[in-house]
Amino acid sequence: MSQSIIVLAGGDNSLWPDKEVFNQASHIIGVDRGSLEGLRQGLSIDVAVGDFDSLTKEELDYVKQQVPLVKQYPAEKDETDTEIGISVASQLSDEASIILVGGTGGRLDHFLANLWLPFQSRFNHLTSRLIIKDNQNTIAYFLPGDYTIEKEPDKKYLAFVCLTPMTHLSLHDTKYPLDDIEVEVPISYASNEFIGDTAHFSFSSGLMCVIQSKDK
Amino acid sequence: MSQSIIVLAGGDNSLWPDKEVFNQASHIIGVDRGSLEGLRQGLSIDVAVGDFDSLTKEELDYVKQQVPLVKQYPAEKDETDTEIGISVASQLSDEASIILVGGTGGRLDHFLANLWLPFQSRFNHLTSRLIIKDNQNTIAYFLPGDYTIEKEPDKKYLAFVCLTPMTHLSLHDTKYPLDDIEVEVPISYASNEFIGDTAHFSFSSGLMCVIQSKDK
């Protein structure tokens, strides 16, 4: 498995994925309140970023004591704290997966801003490395091409989520295959399933996001 | 306030909005497991739809005893249970708001399928009537035009979520205004705020979704 860096945002920690994901990461970057929650859960946070306006002075002091590098930014800035976290992650490695945790649930305007990060021109080059994970979902992104993906052992469902219109979309080795269709509007082809350990898909234009998920 | 019909899907009931929303509805349509959860929470369900494959035989018998009209469909069909629920709601009234509850959280492939319902040509005409609600978020949709929207008293944040590219977007009477901009990719302008009781916005092409939200 390739190296991974976790960007830990401040979303509800009851939605975090399995500890295993944290154990396998080379670095954990805490985003604002995510830094504090990470420390409270016994994680070793390498860098903390944000305006920290969701923390009390005592909480921020604690983060500063425990985290080797704290980058504090003004509250009214052009980037969100999560965007800064992703940028810092991309500076640590040119290859590692960047796994956003704590970026789902709660406020849906935040979740959608996270879902659409790969549309931002400065993050385009991270598209194939960005993953969003919680306790029921793994979201990965794909630019036009031909792909084989592997089933995650703990997930049941496989969704092909067209974030844009899309041309020549085909799905193979899935319960509900598709053959060379045109997709005119964003659509979530939910509740598909692997029929073996891998599935294949291809498309010629657009941005695809694949979600493997399970019921609670 | 205009009449409303609730479509109650099977999502986690800890995310349901205030009881008030149910009290004000003229009808409640239970979707699959949502019917059972609704009954368990003391709601009066008028119609139950779905394949009901998430219910045991005893649970389904209970739903059939308690709900005046139960429409059972085969599991492998072209529409999702939620889509059938929305269709049934649209047949009950030409004017009422259709509020989808239980359609957020959990599996994100399901949430995105719900978010994008107005893109489906058969639901286009419901765009301005469809609302998705949970305990932190209200999502409403807008076709090109000029709008005044009212602040919900319990919400703090106001997000303009461009589901498509968009032309001539302007936001007025908001903490962060925008003047006649072009939006090239889907983007969630999160964490804006009302500065009074109303805000104004306009755009010439695209599909807008406005999310009022609050922290937990």
Side-chain angles (χ1 to χ4, degrees):
Chain A
M1 183 162 165
S2 67
Q3 204 196 13
S4 62
I5 298 167
I6 290 179
V7 176
L8 184 58
D12 188 350
N13 62 32
S14 71
L15 301 182
W16 290 2
D18 251 35
K19 258 301 171 27
E20 194 60 12
V21 175
F22 297 100
N23 294 343
Q24 289 176 351
S26 66
H27 299 81
I28 302 179
I29 299 167
V31 172
D32 207 85
R33 190 160 195 89
S35 313
L36 181 68
E37 293 300 329
L39 293 171
R40 283 181 173 162
Q41 302 296 319
L43 299 176
S44 167
I45 308 291
D46 300 283
V47 188
V49 301
D51 53 38
F52 300 105
D53 61 358
S54 69
L55 301 190
T56 64
K57 187 180 173 307
E58 289 69 30
E59 288 172 334
L60 179 54
D61 286 346
Y62 176 69
V63 168
K64 287 180 175 171
Q65 279 162 24
Q66 299 291 321
V67 175
L69 179 59
V70 176
K71 298 187 176 194
Q72 190 166 4
Y73 296 82
E76 309 256 328
K77 56 195 177 305
D78 286 340
E79 292 183 291
T80 67
D81 291 335
T82 300
E83 288 165 356
I84 294 171
I86 301 285
S87 293
V88 170
S90 72
Q91 287 154 18
L92 291 176
S93 162
D94 289 334
E95 290 178 4
S97 302
I98 298 172
I99 304 177
L100 177 60
V101 170
T104 62
R107 282 177 49 196
L108 295 170
D109 56 337
H110 278 174
F111 166 62
L112 291 168
N114 294 334
L115 178 74
W116 290 330
L117 283 168
F119 278 126
Q120 294 189 38
S121 53
R122 62 190 167 143
F123 294 137
N124 273 170
H125 69 290
L126 302 177
T127 301
S128 63
R129 294 206 272 147
L130 186 66
I131 292 165
I132 299 179
K133 243 185 181 313
D134 66 17
N135 62 344
Q136 289 184 259
N137 305 276
T138 299
I139 302 180
Y141 298 88
F142 298 87
L143 293 168
D146 200 324
Y147 299 96
T148 301
I149 51 172
E150 281 179 37
K151 184 176 185 309
E152 295 187 23
D154 70 328
K155 302 294 195 307
K156 178 174 180 187
Y157 303 104
L158 172 64
F160 293 90
V161 175
C162 304
L163 295 174
T164 58
M166 206 162 262
T167 54
H168 300 295
L169 172 63
S170 296
L171 312 179
H172 303 293
D173 306 323
T174 63
K175 187 172 175 187
Y176 306 103
L178 288 176
D179 184 30
D180 194 23
I181 67 158
E182 307 293 290
V183 177
E184 288 176 12
V185 290
I187 187 166
S188 170
Y189 291 109
S191 303
N192 209 331
E193 296 180 33
F194 284 88
I195 50 178
D197 292 336
T198 59
H200 302 83
F201 67 96
S202 58
F203 62 105
S204 301
S205 66
L207 180 60
M208 172 68 88
C209 130
V210 171
I211 305 184
Q212 293 197 44
S213 67
K214 63 180 175 185
D215 294 317
K216 215 165 170 178
Chain B
M1 185 164 163
S2 67
Q3 205 195 12
S4 62
I5 298 168
I6 290 180
V7 176
L8 185 58
D12 188 349
N13 62 31
S14 72
L15 299 182
W16 289 2
D18 251 35
K19 260 293 168 39
E20 193 61 11
V21 174
F22 297 100
N23 295 342
Q24 289 176 352
S26 66
H27 298 82
I28 301 179
I29 299 167
V31 172
D32 208 270
R33 192 162 193 87
S35 312
L36 181 69
E37 293 299 329
L39 293 171
R40 284 182 173 162
Q41 302 297 318
L43 299 176
S44 168
I45 308 292
D46 300 284
V47 189
V49 302
D51 53 39
F52 300 105
D53 60 359
S54 69
L55 301 190
T56 64
K57 187 179 172 307
E58 288 70 30
E59 288 172 334
L60 180 54
D61 286 345
Y62 176 69
V63 168
K64 286 180 175 170
Q65 278 162 24
Q66 300 291 322
V67 176
L69 180 60
V70 176
K71 299 187 176 196
Q72 191 166 2
Y73 297 83
E76 308 255 329
K77 55 195 178 305
D78 285 341
E79 290 184 293
T80 67
D81 292 334
T82 301
E83 288 165 358
I84 294 172
I86 301 284
S87 293
V88 170
S90 71
Q91 286 153 18
L92 291 176
S93 162
D94 289 334
E95 290 178 3
S97 302
I98 297 172
I99 304 177
L100 177 60
V101 170
T104 62
R107 279 178 51 198
L108 295 170
D109 56 338
H110 277 173
F111 166 63
L112 291 168
N114 294 333
L115 178 73
W116 290 331
L117 284 169
F119 278 125
Q120 294 189 35
S121 53
R122 61 189 166 143
F123 295 137
N124 273 170
H125 68 291
L126 301 177
T127 301
S128 63
R129 294 206 272 148
L130 186 66
I131 292 165
I132 298 179
K133 242 183 181 315
D134 67 17
N135 62 344
Q136 288 184 258
N137 304 275
T138 300
I139 301 180
Y141 298 88
F142 299 86
L143 294 168
D146 201 326
Y147 300 96
T148 301
I149 50 172
E150 281 178 37
K151 183 178 186 306
E152 295 186 24
D154 70 326
K155 301 294 195 308
K156 178 173 180 188
Y157 303 103
L158 172 65
F160 293 90
V161 175
C162 305
L163 295 174
T164 60
M166 205 161 264
T167 54
H168 300 295
L169 172 64
S170 296
L171 313 178
H172 303 292
D173 305 324
T174 63
K175 187 171 174 186
Y176 306 104
L178 287 176
D179 184 29
D180 194 23
I181 68 158
E182 307 294 290
V183 176
E184 290 177 11
V185 289
I187 188 166
S188 170
Y189 291 109
S191 303
N192 209 331
E193 297 180 31
F194 284 87
I195 51 179
D197 292 335
T198 60
H200 302 84
F201 67 96
S202 59
F203 63 106
S204 301
S205 67
L207 180 60
M208 172 69 88
C209 131
V210 172
I211 304 183
Q212 294 197 44
S213 66
K214 62 181 176 184
D215 295 316
K216 215 165 173 178

